[in-house]
Amino acid sequence: MKIDLFITCLNDAMFPRTGEATARLLERLGHEVRFNERQTCCGQMHFNSGYQHDALRLVRHFVDTFRDADVVVAPSGSCVGMVRDLYPRAAEWAHDDALLAEVQALTPRVFELSEFLVHHQGLEDVGAYYPHRVTYHQTCHAMRVLRVGDAPLRLLQRVRGLNLVALPAVDQCCGFGGTFSVKNPETSTAMLADKVQHVMSTNAEACTAGDNSCLMHIGGGLSRLQSGTRTVHLAEILASTEHEVFA
Amino acid sequence: MSAGGIKPARPFPAAARDTLGNAQMRRNLRHATTTIREKRQRAVDELPNWEALRDEAAALKDHVMAHLSEYLLELEASVQARGGQVHWARTAQEARSIVAALAQRHGAQEVIKVKSISTDEIELNAGLAAHGIHAIETDLAELIVQLAEDQPSHILVPAIHRNRAEIRELFQRKLGAELLTDDPKALADAARTYLREKFLSTTVAVSGANFAVAETGTVCVVESEGNGRMCLTMPDVLISVMGIEKVLPTWQDLAVFLRVLPRSSTAERMNPYTSFWSGVTPGDGPQEFHLVLLDNGRTDVLADDVGRQTLRCIRCSACLNVCPVYERTGGHAYGSVYPGPIGAILTPQLLQLEDENANTLPWASSLCGACYDACPVKINIPEVLLYLRGQISDAQPPSVQAAAFKVAAWVMSEPHRFEGAIKLARTGQGPLVKHGAIHALPGLLAGWTASRDLPAFPRQTFREWWRQRPAAQEHGPDRPEDTSETAGNAWEPL
């Protein structure tokens, strides 16, 4: 299958290894992977911060970039959630019917990585090897907007060598929320404190998730506490094999 | 007294800073919300048709909103036909004046009250006090809040932020009760002794309303303690204050809401007391009944295509109990009688998005979506939060932040500009990076690094890596190339 990667702006700039892992994983599974260099950002940061006119510019750019793609896969539940759930709202609120039609034509072809693998491809064992104790954080957008369900867990359960430990209060938000963490830093920190405590209680070597934004937040708390537990994106675990330890 | 009102005294971040520091409140809230969250889930899981019920409830409410004026006029006619009187209040001030005038007409110096958030919304107690009339809260939690001269911090459990030890001390001090323990029964007995005397001696009562049925003019209150029923049946005069969105067309419609409300709010299959009254019945119950229909900003909410769904709310408080922000900050941080996720959208809308402090509320959410999943009438709270953020930002004068977002959108709408900006940031971050991470940022972003590290920009972006990979379109399980050069995230590989 021809797959267009959507490597979100955060992943492109801050977490390039997640993008690499996604590309390598999908190629290993036999897909033809493409990266359209015109892509930039989904516009979520603008939209969620209240700058919806500015976000519209990025919505249009996204639609222009991926209009001809067969399938778009992104290693981010949050950004795919923006595209699938909020692009139609953005077009509606701007009263742009032409854009709405384009968005509706494109969004059914945009997938988050774990939902693409499990729900779209019917795949659970991707041939990964990752010999570590890992706990999984369910990100809000993947869980409640995209409804990926247990897709990431099913993928992790099939990773050889991986010791998966349950995270207490797994359905609780980590407190990132994009600019929420900057506009309401104390409240965000209070939420993070509980999340970090839960992660540390698992005694895991790594906390994984399908979104580097949440992981950046949780990882930032773990790092500040010198906890010795780190964060790793799900794609990096799935890309790792006996031959190539990716993450 | 539990004055209330809906105008926050401070912006949310400032108010939250104080409540977050209250360790006792944090523990009380965490315990209460965690318990009720689990119970609610069990109660909801019992019903195989829960999702269908939610859809039905939402559709019914939307139907009412689309025909609100017709149903309100029908309600008015039905109430009058059964001997009740109807009063229309455009504002909180009008509503207060109507109730005060009615109480004064009967020479009341005290009125007893059923727990009612709409009377808290209009600050009725303070309004009556200005006329020398003392309002006595009869709901146990409302009474606690009133005696403590505190504010409610939850729609359904106004004293959720208090624990039993605090309540024992309060009853000893304010009611003169001799309490040897903080056993719930002992506390309830102390309140009962005080309230019984009030029920027997007071002739005017004020209630809110959970629902009103247009076809029969029947008003309904749903409660757990029975104190409400005492207020509704014992006095001579009953004055009910009701938001105009609470009307339902028929009894059939009411059935849907009496199924979704108790499970969503108290996690019960049915609440202990559901009272109905239709006008007046000679020789039985209050002999004079007044229904005050309150607008107070609601028709403005109704006029907005996206915001309108807020008026579906049946005040069950399920959204509060699942909200991670509410759980940490408590209700007081929201500065309104409507706290939590529903308060974050209802309060600013009732104030026509003109109150600066209330306008900070739509940002008091991480957009995790738990509220939307829990809402029995399917209010898409995250959607309304985002919509309001846009409306509020649009109306604000130009700011540094707005300019920064505009520039960012301009940069990000062209890949070469975006790439240039990353290179610039990568160079600029130099002095901030220590051991691969950033521990302190200046300006607007300082809040982030107060408690969290930030990874440094790595040496290479994804697109730089993509361009330089030797055979971009080849694929196979054992590619020989070395990836070590592309490493460099702050969070080091295992």
Side-chain angles (χ1 to χ4, degrees), chain B residues 442-463:
Chain B
L444 285 173
L445 298 171
W448 171 279
T449 45
S451 60
R452 295 155 282 215
D453 291 341
L454 199 66
F457 282 99
R459 291 190 293 273
Q460 199 179 36
T461 60
F462 173 80
R463 65 183 70 217

Side-chain angles (χ1 to χ4, degrees), chain A residues 5 7 9-20 23-24 27-28 30-41 45-55 57-58 61 85-86 89 92-93 130 132 140-141 144 147 172-173 175-192 194-195 197-198 205-206 213 215-217 219-221 223-225 230-231 236 241 243-247, chain B residues 12-13 16-17 20 26 30 37 306 322 324-325 327-329 360 363-370 373 380 383-384 386-387 389-391 393-394 396 399 401-402 404-406 408-415 417-419 422 437-440 444-445 447-458 460-467 469 472-479 481-483 486-489 491-494:
Chain A
L5 291 177
I7 303 303
C9 61
L10 184 74
N11 284 330
D12 186 8
M14 301 285 273
F15 300 95
R17 288 178 60 86
T18 298
E20 288 179 48
R24 286 169 188 274
E27 285 177 350
R28 192 174 79 211
H31 299 290
E32 182 188 330
V33 176
R34 304 188 297 193
F35 178 74
N36 183 339
E37 289 206 31
R38 290 197 62 221
Q39 64 182 270
T40 54
C41 164
M45 187 175 72
H46 287 81
F47 198 81
N48 288 3
S49 302
Y51 300 103
Q52 284 146 19
H53 297 297
D54 297 320
R57 188 173 186 150
L58 298 168
H61 183 76
D85 187 45
L86 295 174
R89 295 291 93 70
E92 276 169 20
W93 295 348
Y130 193 73
H132 297 287
C140 298
H141 280 77
R144 301 204 182 90
R147 307 280 175 199
Q172 285 261 308
C173 176
F176 175 59
T179 45
F180 170 73
S181 61
V182 177
K183 289 207 94 156
N184 286 283
E186 288 91 355
T187 308
S188 168
T189 295
M191 291 158 71
L192 175 64
D194 291 341
K195 185 59 71 181
Q197 197 176 20
H198 288 137
E205 292 163 85
S213 47
L215 290 177
M216 182 171 76
H217 190 235
S223 162
R224 178 62 56 93
L225 291 172
R230 67 176 207 108
T231 49
E236 295 171 39
T241 63
H243 311 287
E244 187 176 33
V245 177
F246 199 90
Chain B
F12 182 84
R17 208 164 288 141
L20 284 165
R26 293 272 299 274
R30 182 197 294 210
R37 208 152 53 209
V306 182
V322 297
V325 172
E327 183 184 328
R328 271 79 183 186
T329 64
T360 63
W363 279 269
S365 166
S366 65
L367 303 173
C368 82
D373 275 8
N380 190 337
E383 178 189 57
V384 181
L386 289 173
Y387 174 75
R389 289 180 188 187
Q391 300 284 302
S393 299
D394 281 354
Q396 271 166 357
S399 66
Q401 185 184 292
F405 272 94
K406 207 161 273 306
W410 178 79
V411 167
M412 285 177 163
S413 57
E414 271 302 327
R417 289 186 211 135
F418 175 53
E419 203 169 350
I422 296 169
I438 295 169
H439 307 282
L444 285 173
L445 298 171
W448 171 279
T449 45
S451 60
R452 295 155 282 215
D453 291 341
L454 199 66
F457 282 99
Q460 199 179 36
T461 60
F462 173 80
R463 65 183 70 217
E464 285 165 342
W465 171 80
W466 180 268
R467 269 179 222 138
R469 68 195 289 224
Q473 297 308 318
E474 259 180 44
H475 44 84
D478 290 310
R479 200 200 309 274
E481 82 190 66
D482 178 14
T483 63
T486 62
N489 286 145
W491 322 137
E492 288 301 323
L494 281 177

Side-chain angles (χ1 to χ4, degrees), chain B residues 177-446:
Chain B
E178 282 192 29
L179 286 162
L180 296 174
T181 73
D182 60 8
D183 175 59
K185 186 179 180 307
L187 297 176
D189 281 347
R192 178 177 287 132
T193 307
Y194 167 76
L195 288 173
R196 275 294 147 106
E197 192 260 317
K198 297 295 177 189
F199 288 135
L200 292 167
S201 62
T202 311
T203 56
V204 176
V206 177
S207 88
N210 288 94
F211 308 100
V213 180
E215 65 175 353
T216 55
T218 303
V219 186
C220 168
V221 157
V222 173
E223 46 135 4
S224 296
E225 294 172 2
N227 292 343
R229 179 162 293 180
M230 302 283 269
C231 292
L232 298 166
T233 52
M234 295 192 64
D236 302 331
V237 180
L238 174 59
I239 306 164
S240 301
V241 180
M242 178 188 119
I244 50 173
E245 79 282 14
K246 297 286 180 75
V247 65
L248 292 173
T250 67
W251 277 82
Q252 202 81 45
D253 304 324
L254 189 62
V256 175
F257 293 97
L258 290 181
R259 274 180 284 170
V260 294
L261 177 59
R263 284 180 202 263
S264 302
S265 55
T266 49
E268 292 167 301
R269 292 171 183 146
M270 181 47 77
N271 51 286
Y273 295 88
T274 304
S275 303
F276 301 102
W277 63 102
S278 308
V280 293
T281 307
D284 182 19
Q287 294 301 293
E288 200 174 312
F289 169 58
H290 299 270
L291 181 61
V292 181
L293 294 171
L294 176 70
D295 184 330
N296 204 28
R298 285 164 176 76
T299 48
D300 290 298
V301 184
L302 185 68
D304 189 292
D305 289 343
V306 182
R308 181 180 308 142
Q309 57 185 308
T310 312
L311 296 179
R312 287 184 202 152
C313 177
I314 55 173
R315 314 283 189 257
C316 71
S317 71
C319 63
L320 276 64
N321 299 326
V322 297
C323 178
V325 172
Y326 176 85
E327 183 184 328
R328 271 79 183 186
T329 64
H332 293 166
Y334 295 80
S336 159
V337 298
Y338 300 112
I342 188 64
I345 60 171
L346 182 59
T347 301
Q349 288 190 92
L350 288 179
L351 296 167
Q352 283 90 49
L353 303 187
E354 280 167 7
D355 186 284
E356 212 172 285
N357 294 334
N359 282 355
T360 63
L361 292 172
W363 279 269
S365 166
S366 65
L367 303 173
C368 82
C371 49
Y372 182 26
D373 275 8
C375 179
V377 287
K378 281 194 154 176
I379 302 169
N380 190 337
I381 295 177
E383 178 189 57
V384 181
L385 286 167
L386 289 173
Y387 174 75
L388 296 177
R389 289 180 188 187
Q391 300 284 302
I392 292 164
S393 299
D394 281 354
Q396 271 166 357
S399 66
V400 175
Q401 185 184 292
F405 272 94
K406 207 161 273 306
V407 170
W410 178 79
V411 167
M412 285 177 163
S413 57
E414 271 302 327
H416 68 270
R417 289 186 211 135
F418 175 53
E419 203 169 350
I422 296 169
K423 283 182 182 155
L424 203 65
R426 205 154 57 190
T427 316
Q429 70 178 352
L432 300 170
V433 179
K434 285 194 181 65
H435 309 296
I438 295 169
H439 307 282
L441 279 168
L444 285 173
L445 298 171

